Amino acid sequence: MAYDRFLAICRPLHYPIFMNLKLCTQYAIGIWLTGSLHSMIHTALTFRLPFCGPNRIDYFFCDVIPILKLACADTTINKAIIITNIGAIALICFLIILISYVYILKTIMKIKSSEGRRKTFSTCASHVIAVTFYYGPPVFIYLSPNSMNYLIEEAIAVFYTLVTPMLNPIIYSLRNNEVKTALKQLKCDK
C-alpha cells in the first residue's frame, strides 16, 4: 500500500505502467512465501521443545508466545528468533512506509492549492491509521514476550486480530463521498 500511495501521488502518470497485475502478483507471492517461511521457522522450533504440565493455552487464540510458556525446556532461542525475525520484518516494513511517506510529503508540499493538499493528506491519513492499528499491537506482544500479563496480551491480540480488520473498511470508506453523505443524513435524521 505504501508503494501504491507513493506511485499514485509522486508518479501519477507512471502509475499504470508500474502498478500492474504482474507486480501485484509478485508482491502477493513474495508476501505468501515470506509468511510461510516465517511460520515454518517458528513451527520447527516449537516442535523441538518438550511440553509438560498443563496443555491448555490460556490465550485468545493459539499463538507462538503462549505455546512457549507451556514448554518445560529453555525457550531462549525461540524468543530470540521471534524478536529478531519479527523485529526485522516490522523494521523493514516501517522503513519502507516511512521512506515512501517522506517522498509523499515532499510531493504534497509542492501542491499549490490547499484543497489539493487536503485531499491528498486525507487519502494518506487512512493508510497511516490502518498501518498504525495493524503494526502497533503485534510489536508490543512479540517484542516483549515475557513482560506483559495475559490479560493485556489477550486484549491487544483481540484488538489486532478482530478490531483492526473490522475498522479497515470503515477507515477506507470514510473517504468515499457517498458514505460521508449517508453519515451526514443519518446525523441530521436524529
Side-chain angles (χ1 to χ4, degrees), residues 91-144:
L91 181 63
I92 290 168
C93 291
F94 176 73
L95 287 176
I96 290 170
I97 292 167
L98 184 68
I99 290 167
S100 71
Y101 272 95
V102 166
Y103 283 108
I104 288 170
L105 285 173
K106 287 168 89 174
T107 302
I108 289 173
M109 293 310 190
K110 293 177 186 175
I111 297 174
K112 301 280 189 251
S113 73
S114 61
E115 178 66 20
R117 279 195 304 267
R118 189 192 62 76
K119 280 185 174 182
T120 310
F121 269 127
S122 71
T123 300
C124 295
S126 59
H127 180 235
V128 170
I129 291 168
V131 165
T132 303
F133 282 162
Y134 187 74
Y135 282 108
V139 166
F140 283 112
I141 290 176
Y142 292 110
L143 294 184
S144 58

Side-chain angles (χ1 to χ4, degrees), residues 46-98:
T46 303
F47 275 140
R48 72 170 184 76
L49 295 172
F51 294 95
C52 56
N55 53 353
R56 180 176 172 260
I57 298 173
D58 187 24
Y59 205 64
F60 178 68
F61 62 95
C62 185
D63 198 10
V64 73
I65 300 290
I67 290 174
L68 292 181
K69 291 178 182 177
L70 299 176
C72 298
D74 183 26
T75 58
T76 306
I77 294 172
N78 296 66
K79 291 174 185 173
I81 290 182
I82 287 171
I83 290 171
T84 306
N85 199 348
I86 293 174
I89 291 169
L91 181 63
I92 290 168
C93 291
F94 176 73
L95 287 176
I96 290 170
I97 292 167
L98 184 68

Side-chain angles (χ1 to χ4, degrees), residues 118 173-185:
R118 189 192 62 76
S173 65
L174 288 177
R175 292 185 345 223
N176 187 325
N177 287 332
E178 293 170 6
V179 172
K180 287 178 186 177
T181 305
L183 286 173
K184 286 176 186 174
Q185 287 177 347

